[in-house]
Every structure is written in C-alpha cells, then in structure tokens.
Amino acid sequence: MNEEASKTKVIYVMGVSGCGKSTIGHMLSKALKLPFFDGDDFHPKKNIRKLSNGIPLTDEDRYNWLVKINKLAKDQLEENSCIIVCSALKKSYRDILEKEIQGQVEWVHLVGSFDQIFERLDKRENHFMPPELLKSQFDILEYSKEALEVNVSLSPEEIVQYIIKELKDKEINIKSEFGLLGLGVMGKSLCRNLANKGFRISMFNRHVEGIEENVALDFKNKHEELSISQPFDDLKGFVESIQEPRKIMLMVNAGKTVDIVINDLLPHLSTGDIIIDGGNSNYNKTKERFEYLKSKNIHFIGTGVSGGEEGALKGPSIMPSGDLSAYNEVRPFLESIAAKDDNNLPCCTYIGPEGSGHFVKMVHNGIEYAEMQLLAEVFGILTATGKDPDEIADILEGWKETANSYLLEITISILRKKEGGDWLVNKILDKAGNKGTGNWATIATAELGAPTTMIASALFARYVSFYKEDRVEANEVFRKNSSSIIDISSNDLLNTYHFARIINHFQGMKMIHQASETYGWNLNLSEIARIWTAGCIIKSDLMVELVEVLKSSASILKNDKIIQYIKSLKPSANKVVAECILNERPIPCLSEAINFLNSYTTAKSSANIIQAQRDYFGAHTYQRIDDDSGKYYHTNW
C-alpha cells in the first residue's frame, strides 16, 4: 500500500440507534465533501422485517450485512475517502467491517446514556426499529479503544467540528473535487470563490527556489475560507489529491506556458480527466490542444474568463467550449462561481465546440479595447474644451443614466483620484500596453473578412501611443501651438458616444456570427450577450438591451428601434467628429464609427474602381451589374 493510499480512509460513525449517526454522517459528508452511506440502507429485507416486529438481530443475521458494507468500503477506497454510518456494536462486527482495510479505517463512536438516547429515539417517526430494542443494543455494545468518542450531549455542529479537528490531526487524505493550477491574481481569486461556494479544492503553484516558495501553503493560511483546501507545490501530489475524473483548471500565462504545463500534467492524468484552460489563449491554439488531448483520452475545455481580480472573486463571466459532455462534468463548478444576471442566472454558458470559448473571449476583449478607447477620446475632447478631471467626472456621472457601464464607472473613479494635490491621471505616462487579444482579434477579423474596424482602430491607437518620443518630436514639427478651446456640447458628445458604442457592439457581434458561420460553431449571440451583462469588463446597460435584440437577428442594425436611434444620433456624431478633425484632435474610434456606417450604408460604393484596378494589373476578373448570372469577366485594358 503506497503512502497516498494509506491516507485514504473510510470513516465509520458507530453507535446505538438513536445516537444521531445519520445526522452526523450527513453533516460530515457535507463539510468534508466526501461520499456518504448509511449502513441501514444495506440491510436485507428479512432483517428489516425482524426489527420492525421487535425481534433483535442475531450475529448470523448481521454477517452478510457487514460483509456487504465492508465491500462497499473497499470499493470506495479505490477512489477516495468516504463516510459510512453503521451501529458496529461488537468488536467482531468491526473486525468484519475492517477486513483487508485495517490501516484505512477511522472509528467515530457517538456515546450517550441509555435514558438520553431512548428519549431521542422515542421521538423519532418512521424508524423501523422500535425503541424497546435499544436495550438489546446497549447489552451487546463493546466499546472500541481505537474509536474517537464524542458525547451526543453536544450539539450536532459541535460534534462535527470536533470530529473534523481530530481527523485533520490524523492527516487523512480527503480528495478534492476540483483543482486549480497557477496562483497569480486571477487564480487566487478563483480559488477563494470556489471555496466560498463550498467546494473542496486543491491548489498548485510552482516552486522556484528563492523566488516562489510555499505560495499555495501561504495563500491557504492567509484566508479562512481555504481551511479545508489542499495546497501543493508538488505536481504529482496535486494531481493525486483530486477525485477522478479529475477537473483541473489552468490559470497560467497564455502561450508556451500552457503547453509546458499540459505536458507536465499528462504523465499523472487518467483517461477521462478534464483540463480547463482559463487563460487568454489563442482560439487556434485551443483547437490544437483540444485535438492533441483528445488523442490522449483527456478532455480539454477552453474557457474565457472576464472580470479581473474582483470579478474572479465575486463572480466573473465565463465562456467555456469543448465537448458538451465534458462541460457538463465541470458545469456545477463554473456556474456556481459565475456572476448572476438580473434573472439570477449564471453568467456562464456552453459556448460551443473546439476553441469557440476563447474566440468569444477574444472578441469580448476587442470590444473592450474599443470601449476603452472611446472613453479615452471622450476624456481628450472634454479636456480640450477646458474641463479638469473632476469636472469631466461630473459630466460622465450624468451619463450613467443612459450609458452606464462598468468601464464608465471605473473611468469616473480614475478621474477623481488625486495624489499630492494633483489628479493622478495627469501623472500617468500616455503609453498604453496590450497583452495580445486585441492583436489576435484584428488578425481574426481580417482572416474572416469581417470589417471589425473599431477594434483595429483601438489597437492601432495603442500602438501609436507607444511612440512617445516620436510623438513629442513630431508635435514640435507639425503642430501649431494653439490654445483654442473646442466648441462641443456635452449632449452632442454623449450622443456621439452612444452612436460609436452601438457600432462597436454591432461589429463585435457580427464578427462572432461570421466565425460561427465559417467554422460551423452554431453560436447563440443572445446568450453570449446575456453572460456579458454581469461580471465582465464590458457589462453595460446597452448589453442588457442587446440580449433581446439579438434573439431576432444577428445584426443589431436591423432592429427598428436601434435604426431610429442611430438616425437620431448621427447628426451629433457628424458634428463632433468634424469639429475634432478641424481642431486636429485625434479620435480614431469615434471617427471610424462614422466612416464605417457611411460605408455600410452606401448602396453603390467606389469599390468598382478597385476591382477594375485588380483586373488591370493582375487579371483578377470582375462581375458586372448588368449580368446577374454571377459570371466573371476579364478585360484586356
């Protein structure tokens, strides 16, 4: 028997009828997250008939019953520790129950006086054993020196707490329901979220001498809710501590790290185990990993998680994909920790096959890029109208009535933050970074032929911001030192912001729809919008509206209400964009929203010139408007 197996135990809760074995067993099972079995459920019918008729059971009557429970215990110990309640009144009975598993048994004996237990038993209804038989049980009761004795005069809660404390001291290996690997900011928050929902978890973080030591253990000791979690920096021990089929969530950096971790895990995994990648992985890599692990008989769930540190702790938006059967195995965990929408439904839904979950998360982040850029441009415009950060925050506060969102709320908080008498935002270097998802979204939109132009504009705006030194030099060469104030009203700017946000969300959802059609994913846009109404970075009042809009069409610009709204907003958007351009104010996303709609609503565009040019120099052919057969033509220009 190996060391891990020796720590896997069957916890027998023994005692006479009426002592509360079943109640305590159930409570222990819930507290320790272990399987529970009541020995009474395994009595043959003839035993139950005898007891119901007031006839005590003989040793012969009990023998087959005890053998059956012993087999149950041995079967359970193959997988995990378990709790079994059984009267086990004689040492000979306990010997049968312990047969071939002597080193893997812990006894808990609930003790009390005859009068005390008789009174309790007499009050119980529908119990098959009459109280009169209690004396026969006390007559044959043989106390066990090995058993942990707990007096039933304590409350059930006190009894359970005492038993758990004593079992912990014995280092019993109680397997976890779920494992999480990678204790960065998001990983730690998800662990606490899982523990707060009552799940018994194992946590792993690598050991790097002098850099990352005892991370999981120190983290556990810091938070009370993690008291029954299991911390590891040994990968083998971590994997073996989890119930099969194992459910292990990776919260590590996207890229090569994911592949390294998967290959490190594989030697320790078993057929049917499930790996969940909760990082921002590229959807193409997720598809490759899905196929690779499928060949190893391991399930892979690519899962987008949005919400940041706070969302991961209190409830994120979760976007899982892969085999539906495998998702159903992890569904209780993911749905439990997810944010809840206005109808108290979890902001977690099965997205689709392969890498669709990570694709949807990528587009989520792309929409996020554009939403952030729009607010940055609004800030820049209001600054150019002569407003300070507090005044701008006051204006944005008023916008919450019609344009509220998580990003708007945090922008207001950012603008109000002061340090040393000045606004902190004025001290932050104007170079915006990115972690890759906006980049991937821009590549994907080009590959799909979906014009998600605002995501690309937001990404390129970040790239331009990084040329800080060049921008400072170019400012001296190309710009006039003008201090003129831009004449734009707050209401026109709000209308322009509304307008651009609708175009951004239209493009993002259109991109998801295009991917669904191209890859055969059959994605539900309304359901995707629903899980983005809470927990995630792009949650907003607009997203709540889109849940219903997207039930009838994949294009929100086909909705009559939105069409009329866009028409009413466009004059303000035209005015604001024109004023900014005339005043040399950079507004890449606001202007792109106008440019896109102008292009999208132009029935006859100038693209015929481009196609003619392509045919001229490359013989790429063209179609004709006076021939609806679809035939292609070439001209010798």
Side-chain angles (χ1 to χ4, degrees), residues 352-406:
E354 303 169 348
S356 57
H358 275 137
F359 183 92
V360 167
K361 175 55 163 56
M362 175 191 73
V363 177
H364 167 286
N365 285 20
I367 294 171
E368 175 187 311
Y369 270 51
E371 292 291 287
M372 294 170 72
Q373 178 64 29
L374 288 173
L375 283 166
E377 291 174 21
V378 165
F379 167 71
I381 292 169
L382 288 173
T383 299
T385 64
K387 304 287 193 301
D388 66 35
D390 268 335
E391 292 171 321
I392 296 172
D394 289 340
I395 291 170
L396 298 186
E397 194 78 50
W399 289 14
K400 288 169 64 176
E401 292 183 16
T402 59
N404 198 26
S405 69
Y406 170 76

Side-chain angles (χ1 to χ4, degrees), residues 497-550:
Y497 179 61
H498 279 305
F499 174 89
R501 292 190 66 224
I502 292 171
I503 300 300
N504 180 34
H505 285 70
F506 162 76
Q507 290 187 347
M509 288 300 181
K510 194 72 172 174
M511 181 180 176
I512 294 173
H513 177 67
Q514 183 65 56
S516 180
E517 294 286 301
T518 301
Y519 302 128
W521 287 340
N522 193 30
L523 305 185
N524 185 330
L525 298 185
S526 176
E527 182 68 356
I528 290 169
R530 184 193 68 76
I531 66 170
W532 287 350
T533 60
C536 70
I537 304 301
I538 61 172
K539 67 178 181 179
S540 67
D541 291 345
L542 173 59
M543 194 66 75
V544 174
E545 293 179 38
L546 294 184
V547 176
E548 286 302 315
V549 171
L550 289 164

Side-chain angles (χ1 to χ4, degrees), residues 35 86 126 145 194 217 301 306 360 368 396 550 577:
C86 177
N126 301 321
K145 294 180 181 178
L194 284 158
L217 178 61
I301 305 290
S306 176
V360 167
E368 175 187 311
L396 298 186
L550 289 164
V577 169

Side-chain angles (χ1 to χ4, degrees), residues 460-630:
F460 294 142
R462 294 194 187 191
Y463 288 167
V464 171
S465 78
F466 233 72
Y467 286 90
K468 175 66 175 179
E469 294 75 15
D470 289 357
R471 288 191 288 112
V472 171
E473 183 180 335
N475 178 265
E476 296 294 325
V477 175
F478 292 100
R479 290 292 187 99
K480 296 177 181 178
N481 291 322
S482 172
S483 59
S484 61
I485 302 296
I486 297 179
D487 182 19
I488 293 176
S489 73
S490 175
N491 187 61
D492 278 337
L493 187 54
L494 172 58
N495 286 343
T496 306
Y497 179 61
H498 279 305
F499 174 89
R501 292 190 66 224
I502 292 171
I503 300 300
N504 180 34
H505 285 70
F506 162 76
Q507 290 187 347
M509 288 300 181
K510 194 72 172 174
M511 181 180 176
I512 294 173
H513 177 67
Q514 183 65 56
S516 180
E517 294 286 301
T518 301
Y519 302 128
W521 287 340
N522 193 30
L523 305 185
N524 185 330
L525 298 185
S526 176
E527 182 68 356
I528 290 169
R530 184 193 68 76
I531 66 170
W532 287 350
T533 60
C536 70
I537 304 301
I538 61 172
K539 67 178 181 179
S540 67
D541 291 345
L542 173 59
M543 194 66 75
V544 174
E545 293 179 38
L546 294 184
V547 176
E548 286 302 315
V549 171
L550 289 164
K551 285 181 179 179
S552 57
S553 174
S555 171
I556 67 176
L557 292 185
K558 290 184 178 180
N559 178 271
D560 289 339
K561 182 179 177 181
I562 289 180
I563 290 171
Q564 295 307 314
Y565 192 40
I566 281 286
K567 286 180 177 179
S568 72
L569 298 172
K570 197 164 187 288
S572 290
N574 287 335
K575 179 180 178 181
V576 168
V577 169
E579 187 73 15
C580 288
I581 291 174
L582 289 171
N583 283 274
E584 301 180 352
R585 183 78 227 166
I587 48 166
C589 271
L590 288 173
S591 60
E592 182 49 45
I594 289 287
N595 286 331
F596 174 80
L597 190 66
N598 286 341
S599 296
Y600 191 71
T601 57
T602 298
K604 184 173 174 56
S605 75
S606 56
N608 53 340
I609 291 292
I610 295 172
Q611 196 61 18
Q613 292 168 338
R614 295 180 74 244
D615 186 59
Y616 190 107
F617 65 71
H620 292 294
T621 74
Y622 57 87
Q623 294 173 290
R624 296 176 64 99
I625 60 174
D626 55 2
D627 182 357
D628 58 7
S629 69

Side-chain angles (χ1 to χ4, degrees), residues 156-223:
E157 291 75 18
E158 290 173 326
I159 291 173
V160 170
Q161 286 179 0
Y162 178 72
I163 293 171
I164 290 175
K165 178 181 180 300
E166 293 298 315
L167 292 178
K168 278 184 180 178
D169 291 342
K170 294 175 181 290
E171 296 185 345
I172 292 177
N173 180 27
I174 302 170
K175 291 200 173 185
S176 298
E177 301 168 277
F178 195 89
L180 195 140
L181 185 153
L183 298 180
V185 171
M186 289 287 286
K188 285 181 176 178
S189 291
L190 288 174
C191 282
R192 293 181 63 195
N193 192 339
L194 284 158
N196 281 325
K197 298 301 185 298
F199 295 116
R200 184 178 181 86
I201 62 172
S202 289
M203 310 177 297
F204 173 89
N205 199 84
R206 66 181 181 176
H207 178 93
V208 182
E209 200 73 34
I211 300 175
E212 293 181 70
E213 297 181 343
N214 300 319
V215 173
L217 178 61
D218 292 344
F219 174 54
K220 172 184 174 172
N221 291 337
K222 188 177 179 181
H223 298 283

